[in-house]
Amino acid sequence: MHPTPAQPFDGSHDREIESLAEFDEVVSVRGTLSHYRVQAVDLTDRTAVLLALDTAGAVFLGCPMDPEAAAKARAEGALVFPPVPGLPFDPYRGFVYTPDELFESLDEGGYEATPDALAYAWFQRTRSDGDVFASLLRSLHDDAVSDALDELLVGAPVVGVMGGHAMARGTDAYAGAARLGRALSRAGLTVATGGGPGAMEAANLGAYTAPFSDDMLAEALQLLARVPGFTPSITAWASAAFEVRTRWPRGGPSVGVPTWFYGHEPPNPFAAHIAKYFSNATREDGLLARCTAGVVFLPGAAGTVQEIFDNATPNYYASRGEPTPMVLVDRAHWTERLPTWPLLRALARERAMEDRIVLVDRIEEVPEALRRLGG
């Protein structure tokens, strides 16, 4: 049962309004805005509605509106947080990003002119100046992105694919990671990665190609191999990805969770949904916590090692409930080059997570390993 307009919001149902269509529906069905949270919706054309309806206890987060409407809402007890001018991002945004949004203006001005690059430049300018307002804006943004990501993934079986950013297009390893992403997506899982280049891009690419024939992936891999990495030119690297997206539109969905903390690494355009953060700690923990169907760790370096143990710790203590599957790929890498597996196995011994970890040699073994572990 929905509370009446006079009752305070108690979290018992969704009272967030995140689009103009949703705003109009609430107005039509409920006839009130009392105790609703209106998030980053342009209300400049809804002045008459705002002046007519009860807004007591409402919260307006970054919603452009007529000054008269804003004054009336404040007088009724609503909280009105106006848009912040001059920012290359919206700290109150209601949805995760899309590749088209982050890479807007790529064709006209190159990567440096995109919202993604502009947000990174703003972060570089403000991250160390001690300005509490800038840090507040970053925190507001990241919390809004987390809320949007949770709404996106409700009920979805999410499997994480982690791996190094250095994995180059045109290599067998990259092709294997892409085939893995495709297989997981075709199995009904939502693929989530760190959202960057290399192994992350390959897995998101694989999920994107899932609805197409197998030949399509082979062609896409050939096209991308012309620009093996994001250095020296992010513009050329991203443009090659958008060429694939243009040639084969409406690919399969997946999620990327990158960070401006590593802003020199651009997000990859193959993730349909991009939850980009300023705080890397929030991003890392949030990504792994949402991988309800398990996490696959492809060969990587320090970042991937960190992710293994960031995931192992809550599994060890069962702090998120039942441990989730962990599949490490490439025995030589994880036992010789970076001997992470022996430590992980020692940690897991006689714990609930012991039956939820496995090391496999080949990437083709991953889907069956996840099924065996209950992912």
Side-chain angles (χ1 to χ4, degrees), residues 155-201:
V158 180
V159 60
V161 179
M162 310 297 156
H165 69 269
M167 184 183 289
R169 295 168 173 175
T171 63
D172 290 341
Y174 185 96
R179 288 193 295 270
L180 172 63
R182 183 180 61 184
L184 295 173
S185 184
R186 287 178 173 177
L189 298 168
T190 297
V191 173
T193 77
M200 297 171 280
E201 181 192 48

mmCIF file of all heavy atoms in Angstrom, residues 155-201:
data_model
loop_
_atom_site.group_PDB
_atom_site.id
_atom_site.type_symbol
_atom_site.label_atom_id
_atom_site.label_comp_id
_atom_site.label_asym_id
_atom_site.label_seq_id
_atom_site.Cartn_x
_atom_site.Cartn_y
_atom_site.Cartn_z
ATOM 1 N N GLY A 155 17.622 -7.875 -9.977
ATOM 2 C CA GLY A 155 17.252 -9.208 -10.436
ATOM 3 C C GLY A 155 18.166 -9.827 -11.473
ATOM 4 O O GLY A 155 17.936 -10.966 -11.896
ATOM 5 N N ALA A 156 19.207 -9.121 -11.895
ATOM 6 C CA ALA A 156 20.085 -9.643 -12.951
ATOM 7 C C ALA A 156 21.180 -10.525 -12.357
ATOM 8 O O ALA A 156 21.807 -10.154 -11.363
ATOM 9 C CB ALA A 156 20.726 -8.495 -13.722
ATOM 10 N N PRO A 157 21.443 -11.702 -12.951
ATOM 11 C CA PRO A 157 22.597 -12.508 -12.536
ATOM 12 C C PRO A 157 23.862 -11.925 -13.172
ATOM 13 O O PRO A 157 24.066 -12.038 -14.377
ATOM 14 C CB PRO A 157 22.270 -13.894 -13.086
ATOM 15 C CG PRO A 157 21.406 -13.625 -14.287
ATOM 16 C CD PRO A 157 20.670 -12.339 -14.026
ATOM 17 N N VAL A 158 24.698 -11.306 -12.370
ATOM 18 C CA VAL A 158 25.851 -10.557 -12.879
ATOM 19 C C VAL A 158 27.131 -11.358 -12.660
ATOM 20 O O VAL A 158 27.411 -11.820 -11.548
ATOM 21 C CB VAL A 158 25.967 -9.190 -12.179
ATOM 22 C CG1 VAL A 158 27.182 -8.411 -12.717
ATOM 23 C CG2 VAL A 158 24.686 -8.381 -12.356
ATOM 24 N N VAL A 159 27.906 -11.507 -13.720
ATOM 25 C CA VAL A 159 29.213 -12.142 -13.612
ATOM 26 C C VAL A 159 30.278 -11.132 -14.002
ATOM 27 O O VAL A 159 30.183 -10.484 -15.048
ATOM 28 C CB VAL A 159 29.315 -13.416 -14.489
ATOM 29 C CG1 VAL A 159 29.093 -13.108 -15.963
ATOM 30 C CG2 VAL A 159 30.646 -14.110 -14.280
ATOM 31 N N GLY A 160 31.265 -10.967 -13.143
ATOM 32 C CA GLY A 160 32.338 -10.027 -13.412
ATOM 33 C C GLY A 160 33.456 -10.681 -14.202
ATOM 34 O O GLY A 160 33.773 -11.862 -14.002
ATOM 35 N N VAL A 161 34.053 -9.920 -15.106
ATOM 36 C CA VAL A 161 35.236 -10.373 -15.840
ATOM 37 C C VAL A 161 36.324 -9.339 -15.608
ATOM 38 O O VAL A 161 36.214 -8.191 -16.058
ATOM 39 C CB VAL A 161 34.966 -10.544 -17.344
ATOM 40 C CG1 VAL A 161 36.238 -11.005 -18.062
ATOM 41 C CG2 VAL A 161 33.838 -11.543 -17.584
ATOM 42 N N MET A 162 37.364 -9.717 -14.871
ATOM 43 C CA MET A 162 38.452 -8.811 -14.527
ATOM 44 C C MET A 162 39.706 -9.202 -15.303
ATOM 45 O O MET A 162 39.940 -10.388 -15.576
ATOM 46 C CB MET A 162 38.739 -8.864 -13.023
ATOM 47 C CG MET A 162 37.510 -8.713 -12.149
ATOM 48 S SD MET A 162 36.686 -7.110 -12.334
ATOM 49 C CE MET A 162 35.018 -7.541 -11.817
ATOM 50 N N GLY A 163 40.510 -8.209 -15.631
ATOM 51 C CA GLY A 163 41.746 -8.486 -16.357
ATOM 52 C C GLY A 163 42.466 -7.199 -16.681
ATOM 53 O O GLY A 163 41.922 -6.101 -16.521
ATOM 54 N N GLY A 164 43.681 -7.328 -17.168
ATOM 55 C CA GLY A 164 44.543 -6.179 -17.362
ATOM 56 C C GLY A 164 44.161 -5.304 -18.540
ATOM 57 O O GLY A 164 43.633 -5.772 -19.550
ATOM 58 N N HIS A 165 44.496 -4.006 -18.408
ATOM 59 C CA HIS A 165 44.210 -3.052 -19.484
ATOM 60 C C HIS A 165 45.214 -3.172 -20.625
ATOM 61 O O HIS A 165 44.991 -2.635 -21.705
ATOM 62 C CB HIS A 165 44.241 -1.624 -18.937
ATOM 63 C CG HIS A 165 45.616 -1.164 -18.533
ATOM 64 N ND1 HIS A 165 46.103 -1.329 -17.265
ATOM 65 C CD2 HIS A 165 46.614 -0.563 -19.247
ATOM 66 C CE1 HIS A 165 47.338 -0.840 -17.199
ATOM 67 N NE2 HIS A 165 47.676 -0.378 -18.390
ATOM 68 N N ALA A 166 46.315 -3.877 -20.404
ATOM 69 C CA ALA A 166 47.376 -3.937 -21.409
ATOM 70 C C ALA A 166 47.122 -4.981 -22.492
ATOM 71 O O ALA A 166 47.859 -5.034 -23.480
ATOM 72 C CB ALA A 166 48.717 -4.218 -20.734
ATOM 73 N N MET A 167 46.107 -5.808 -22.339
ATOM 74 C CA MET A 167 45.813 -6.836 -23.343
ATOM 75 C C MET A 167 45.447 -6.157 -24.661
ATOM 76 O O MET A 167 44.469 -5.416 -24.741
ATOM 77 C CB MET A 167 44.664 -7.724 -22.864
ATOM 78 C CG MET A 167 44.354 -8.880 -23.785
ATOM 79 S SD MET A 167 42.921 -9.842 -23.191
ATOM 80 C CE MET A 167 43.631 -10.648 -21.755
ATOM 81 N N ALA A 168 46.223 -6.397 -25.702
ATOM 82 C CA ALA A 168 46.067 -5.650 -26.946
ATOM 83 C C ALA A 168 45.053 -6.307 -27.879
ATOM 84 O O ALA A 168 44.939 -7.536 -27.954
ATOM 85 C CB ALA A 168 47.410 -5.526 -27.659
ATOM 86 N N ARG A 169 44.345 -5.458 -28.596
ATOM 87 C CA ARG A 169 43.511 -5.951 -29.700
ATOM 88 C C ARG A 169 44.408 -6.671 -30.713
ATOM 89 O O ARG A 169 45.561 -6.289 -30.922
ATOM 90 C CB ARG A 169 42.823 -4.780 -30.393
ATOM 91 C CG ARG A 169 41.816 -4.024 -29.560
ATOM 92 C CD ARG A 169 41.429 -2.729 -30.246
ATOM 93 N NE ARG A 169 40.342 -2.010 -29.600
ATOM 94 C CZ ARG A 169 39.922 -0.799 -29.986
ATOM 95 N NH1 ARG A 169 40.503 -0.190 -31.019
ATOM 96 N NH2 ARG A 169 38.934 -0.209 -29.348
ATOM 97 N N GLY A 170 43.850 -7.681 -31.351
ATOM 98 C CA GLY A 170 44.610 -8.423 -32.347
ATOM 99 C C GLY A 170 45.377 -9.594 -31.786
ATOM 100 O O GLY A 170 45.980 -10.356 -32.556
ATOM 101 N N THR A 171 45.361 -9.790 -30.461
ATOM 102 C CA THR A 171 46.060 -10.920 -29.856
ATOM 103 C C THR A 171 45.091 -12.071 -29.605
ATOM 104 O O THR A 171 43.876 -11.888 -29.531
ATOM 105 C CB THR A 171 46.699 -10.513 -28.520
ATOM 106 O OG1 THR A 171 45.661 -10.122 -27.598
ATOM 107 C CG2 THR A 171 47.664 -9.338 -28.718
ATOM 108 N N ASP A 172 45.647 -13.260 -29.443
ATOM 109 C CA ASP A 172 44.821 -14.421 -29.126
ATOM 110 C C ASP A 172 44.133 -14.242 -27.776
ATOM 111 O O ASP A 172 42.985 -14.681 -27.595
ATOM 112 C CB ASP A 172 45.677 -15.688 -29.109
ATOM 113 C CG ASP A 172 46.159 -16.097 -30.496
ATOM 114 O OD1 ASP A 172 45.562 -15.629 -31.497
ATOM 115 O OD2 ASP A 172 47.135 -16.869 -30.577
ATOM 116 N N ALA A 173 44.832 -13.622 -26.829
ATOM 117 C CA ALA A 173 44.248 -13.421 -25.504
ATOM 118 C C ALA A 173 43.015 -12.521 -25.581
ATOM 119 O O ALA A 173 41.995 -12.772 -24.921
ATOM 120 C CB ALA A 173 45.294 -12.818 -24.563
ATOM 121 N N TYR A 174 43.105 -11.461 -26.379
ATOM 122 C CA TYR A 174 41.973 -10.545 -26.542
ATOM 123 C C TYR A 174 40.789 -11.275 -27.183
ATOM 124 O O TYR A 174 39.644 -11.143 -26.725
ATOM 125 C CB TYR A 174 42.398 -9.351 -27.395
ATOM 126 C CG TYR A 174 41.348 -8.271 -27.546
ATOM 127 C CD1 TYR A 174 41.347 -7.153 -26.709
ATOM 128 C CD2 TYR A 174 40.361 -8.349 -28.534
ATOM 129 C CE1 TYR A 174 40.392 -6.155 -26.845
ATOM 130 C CE2 TYR A 174 39.403 -7.373 -28.679
ATOM 131 C CZ TYR A 174 39.427 -6.271 -27.837
ATOM 132 O OH TYR A 174 38.468 -5.287 -27.975
ATOM 133 N N ALA A 175 41.066 -12.051 -28.218
ATOM 134 C CA ALA A 175 40.000 -12.809 -28.882
ATOM 135 C C ALA A 175 39.363 -13.805 -27.916
ATOM 136 O O ALA A 175 38.134 -13.993 -27.913
ATOM 137 C CB ALA A 175 40.550 -13.527 -30.111
ATOM 138 N N GLY A 176 40.174 -14.433 -27.069
ATOM 139 C CA GLY A 176 39.639 -15.381 -26.105
ATOM 140 C C GLY A 176 38.737 -14.713 -25.082
ATOM 141 O O GLY A 176 37.678 -15.246 -24.720
ATOM 142 N N ALA A 177 39.156 -13.532 -24.609
ATOM 143 C CA ALA A 177 38.320 -12.793 -23.650
ATOM 144 C C ALA A 177 37.007 -12.372 -24.291
ATOM 145 O O ALA A 177 35.953 -12.356 -23.640
ATOM 146 C CB ALA A 177 39.086 -11.581 -23.135
ATOM 147 N N ALA A 178 37.047 -12.039 -25.571
ATOM 148 C CA ALA A 178 35.815 -11.672 -26.277
ATOM 149 C C ALA A 178 34.889 -12.876 -26.410
ATOM 150 O O ALA A 178 33.670 -12.757 -26.212
ATOM 151 C CB ALA A 178 36.150 -11.096 -27.653
ATOM 152 N N ARG A 179 35.444 -14.022 -26.727
ATOM 153 C CA ARG A 179 34.610 -15.226 -26.824
ATOM 154 C C ARG A 179 34.002 -15.578 -25.469
ATOM 155 O O ARG A 179 32.859 -16.050 -25.392
ATOM 156 C CB ARG A 179 35.433 -16.392 -27.373
ATOM 157 C CG ARG A 179 35.774 -16.269 -28.852
ATOM 158 C CD ARG A 179 36.312 -17.584 -29.403
ATOM 159 N NE ARG A 179 37.581 -17.947 -28.786
ATOM 160 C CZ ARG A 179 38.776 -17.581 -29.244
ATOM 161 N NH1 ARG A 179 38.869 -16.820 -30.332
ATOM 162 N NH2 ARG A 179 39.872 -17.965 -28.631
ATOM 163 N N LEU A 180 34.754 -15.329 -24.399
ATOM 164 C CA LEU A 180 34.225 -15.571 -23.061
ATOM 165 C C LEU A 180 33.029 -14.665 -22.779
ATOM 166 O O LEU A 180 31.976 -15.131 -22.314
ATOM 167 C CB LEU A 180 35.311 -15.337 -22.014
ATOM 168 C CG LEU A 180 34.831 -15.378 -20.556
ATOM 169 C CD1 LEU A 180 34.293 -16.758 -20.208
ATOM 170 C CD2 LEU A 180 35.971 -14.981 -19.609
ATOM 171 N N GLY A 181 33.181 -13.366 -23.061
ATOM 172 C CA GLY A 181 32.075 -12.438 -22.849
ATOM 173 C C GLY A 181 30.846 -12.836 -23.642
ATOM 174 O O GLY A 181 29.710 -12.745 -23.148
ATOM 175 N N ARG A 182 31.067 -13.296 -24.869
ATOM 176 C CA ARG A 182 29.946 -13.729 -25.715
ATOM 177 C C ARG A 182 29.268 -14.972 -25.121
ATOM 178 O O ARG A 182 28.036 -15.039 -25.040
ATOM 179 C CB ARG A 182 30.456 -14.036 -27.123
ATOM 180 C CG ARG A 182 29.358 -14.427 -28.103
ATOM 181 C CD ARG A 182 29.932 -14.729 -29.478
ATOM 182 N NE ARG A 182 30.872 -15.855 -29.438
ATOM 183 C CZ ARG A 182 31.577 -16.280 -30.483
ATOM 184 N NH1 ARG A 182 31.467 -15.655 -31.642
ATOM 185 N NH2 ARG A 182 32.407 -17.307 -30.370
ATOM 186 N N ALA A 183 30.060 -15.936 -24.672
ATOM 187 C CA ALA A 183 29.492 -17.172 -24.121
ATOM 188 C C ALA A 183 28.703 -16.892 -22.847
ATOM 189 O O ALA A 183 27.613 -17.448 -22.645
ATOM 190 C CB ALA A 183 30.614 -18.178 -23.840
ATOM 191 N N LEU A 184 29.230 -16.037 -21.977
ATOM 192 C CA LEU A 184 28.531 -15.720 -20.729
ATOM 193 C C LEU A 184 27.229 -14.992 -20.999
ATOM 194 O O LEU A 184 26.199 -15.265 -20.371
ATOM 195 C CB LEU A 184 29.438 -14.880 -19.830
ATOM 196 C CG LEU A 184 30.712 -15.571 -19.325
ATOM 197 C CD1 LEU A 184 31.599 -14.582 -18.584
ATOM 198 C CD2 LEU A 184 30.374 -16.765 -18.439
ATOM 199 N N SER A 185 27.272 -14.070 -21.951
ATOM 200 C CA SER A 185 26.061 -13.326 -22.300
ATOM 201 C C SER A 185 25.014 -14.245 -22.911
ATOM 202 O O SER A 185 23.820 -14.161 -22.580
ATOM 203 C CB SER A 185 26.410 -12.191 -23.268
ATOM 204 O OG SER A 185 25.280 -11.400 -23.544
ATOM 205 N N ARG A 186 25.435 -15.134 -23.788
ATOM 206 C CA ARG A 186 24.502 -16.079 -24.404
ATOM 207 C C ARG A 186 23.920 -17.053 -23.383
ATOM 208 O O ARG A 186 22.851 -17.620 -23.597
ATOM 209 C CB ARG A 186 25.197 -16.834 -25.530
ATOM 210 C CG ARG A 186 25.427 -15.986 -26.776
ATOM 211 C CD ARG A 186 26.158 -16.765 -27.853
ATOM 212 N NE ARG A 186 26.235 -16.002 -29.104
ATOM 213 C CZ ARG A 186 26.871 -16.413 -30.198
ATOM 214 N NH1 ARG A 186 27.486 -17.590 -30.197
ATOM 215 N NH2 ARG A 186 26.892 -15.661 -31.282
ATOM 216 N N ALA A 187 24.629 -17.242 -22.264
ATOM 217 C CA ALA A 187 24.130 -18.118 -21.201
ATOM 218 C C ALA A 187 23.130 -17.405 -20.290
ATOM 219 O O ALA A 187 22.655 -17.993 -19.325
ATOM 220 C CB ALA A 187 25.292 -18.650 -20.377
ATOM 221 N N GLY A 188 22.832 -16.150 -20.603
ATOM 222 C CA GLY A 188 21.841 -15.421 -19.825
ATOM 223 C C GLY A 188 22.400 -14.611 -18.683
ATOM 224 O O GLY A 188 21.639 -14.109 -17.842
ATOM 225 N N LEU A 189 23.718 -14.472 -18.629
ATOM 226 C CA LEU A 189 24.362 -13.696 -17.570
ATOM 227 C C LEU A 189 24.625 -12.270 -18.040
ATOM 228 O O LEU A 189 24.837 -12.020 -19.225
ATOM 229 C CB LEU A 189 25.673 -14.352 -17.157
ATOM 230 C CG LEU A 189 25.561 -15.759 -16.569
ATOM 231 C CD1 LEU A 189 26.922 -16.412 -16.470
ATOM 232 C CD2 LEU A 189 24.886 -15.720 -15.212
ATOM 233 N N THR A 190 24.618 -11.344 -17.102
ATOM 234 C CA THR A 190 24.989 -9.966 -17.390
ATOM 235 C C THR A 190 26.478 -9.800 -17.129
ATOM 236 O O THR A 190 26.939 -9.964 -15.988
ATOM 237 C CB THR A 190 24.196 -8.983 -16.507
ATOM 238 O OG1 THR A 190 22.803 -9.101 -16.811
ATOM 239 C CG2 THR A 190 24.648 -7.551 -16.753
ATOM 240 N N VAL A 191 27.232 -9.503 -18.159
ATOM 241 C CA VAL A 191 28.684 -9.344 -18.038
ATOM 242 C C VAL A 191 28.993 -7.950 -17.512
ATOM 243 O O VAL A 191 28.510 -6.943 -18.028
ATOM 244 C CB VAL A 191 29.366 -9.562 -19.397
ATOM 245 C CG1 VAL A 191 30.862 -9.234 -19.305
ATOM 246 C CG2 VAL A 191 29.166 -10.998 -19.871
ATOM 247 N N ALA A 192 29.812 -7.893 -16.468
ATOM 248 C CA ALA A 192 30.254 -6.616 -15.901
ATOM 249 C C ALA A 192 31.771 -6.614 -15.829
ATOM 250 O O ALA A 192 32.386 -7.597 -15.404
ATOM 251 C CB ALA A 192 29.669 -6.402 -14.512
ATOM 252 N N THR A 193 32.377 -5.516 -16.259
ATOM 253 C CA THR A 193 33.837 -5.389 -16.236
ATOM 254 C C THR A 193 34.222 -4.056 -15.600
ATOM 255 O O THR A 193 33.363 -3.246 -15.260
ATOM 256 C CB THR A 193 34.426 -5.432 -17.653
ATOM 257 O OG1 THR A 193 34.227 -4.154 -18.296
ATOM 258 C CG2 THR A 193 33.782 -6.522 -18.501
ATOM 259 N N GLY A 194 35.529 -3.855 -15.478
ATOM 260 C CA GLY A 194 36.015 -2.571 -15.000
ATOM 261 C C GLY A 194 35.856 -1.453 -16.008
ATOM 262 O O GLY A 194 36.202 -0.307 -15.725
ATOM 263 N N GLY A 195 35.338 -1.773 -17.191
ATOM 264 C CA GLY A 195 34.925 -0.757 -18.141
ATOM 265 C C GLY A 195 36.014 -0.106 -18.956
ATOM 266 O O GLY A 195 35.739 0.786 -19.756
ATOM 267 N N GLY A 196 37.259 -0.555 -18.795
ATOM 268 C CA GLY A 196 38.358 0.080 -19.499
ATOM 269 C C GLY A 196 38.805 -0.694 -20.730
ATOM 270 O O GLY A 196 38.059 -1.500 -21.288
ATOM 271 N N PRO A 197 40.043 -0.454 -21.173
ATOM 272 C CA PRO A 197 40.587 -1.133 -22.354
ATOM 273 C C PRO A 197 41.013 -2.563 -22.040
ATOM 274 O O PRO A 197 40.791 -3.078 -20.952
ATOM 275 C CB PRO A 197 41.798 -0.261 -22.723
ATOM 276 C CG PRO A 197 41.719 0.955 -21.850
ATOM 277 C CD PRO A 197 40.938 0.574 -20.652
ATOM 278 N N GLY A 198 41.658 -3.209 -23.007
ATOM 279 C CA GLY A 198 42.272 -4.511 -22.797
ATOM 280 C C GLY A 198 41.274 -5.620 -22.580
ATOM 281 O O GLY A 198 40.290 -5.755 -23.308
ATOM 282 N N ALA A 199 41.513 -6.431 -21.555
ATOM 283 C CA ALA A 199 40.638 -7.563 -21.258
ATOM 284 C C ALA A 199 39.222 -7.106 -20.963
ATOM 285 O O ALA A 199 38.253 -7.805 -21.302
ATOM 286 C CB ALA A 199 41.207 -8.344 -20.071
ATOM 287 N N MET A 200 39.100 -5.949 -20.336
ATOM 288 C CA MET A 200 37.771 -5.424 -20.014
ATOM 289 C C MET A 200 36.987 -5.121 -21.287
ATOM 290 O O MET A 200 35.820 -5.504 -21.432
ATOM 291 C CB MET A 200 37.912 -4.166 -19.142
ATOM 292 C CG MET A 200 38.571 -4.424 -17.800
ATOM 293 S SD MET A 200 38.980 -2.899 -16.893
ATOM 294 C CE MET A 200 40.505 -2.405 -17.721
ATOM 295 N N GLU A 201 37.630 -4.424 -22.221
ATOM 296 C CA GLU A 201 36.966 -4.125 -23.483
ATOM 297 C C GLU A 201 36.600 -5.409 -24.223
ATOM 298 O O GLU A 201 35.498 -5.528 -24.785
ATOM 299 C CB GLU A 201 37.853 -3.264 -24.377
ATOM 300 C CG GLU A 201 37.158 -2.918 -25.694
ATOM 301 C CD GLU A 201 38.095 -2.317 -26.729
ATOM 302 O OE1 GLU A 201 39.197 -2.872 -26.957
ATOM 303 O OE2 GLU A 201 37.710 -1.292 -27.307
#
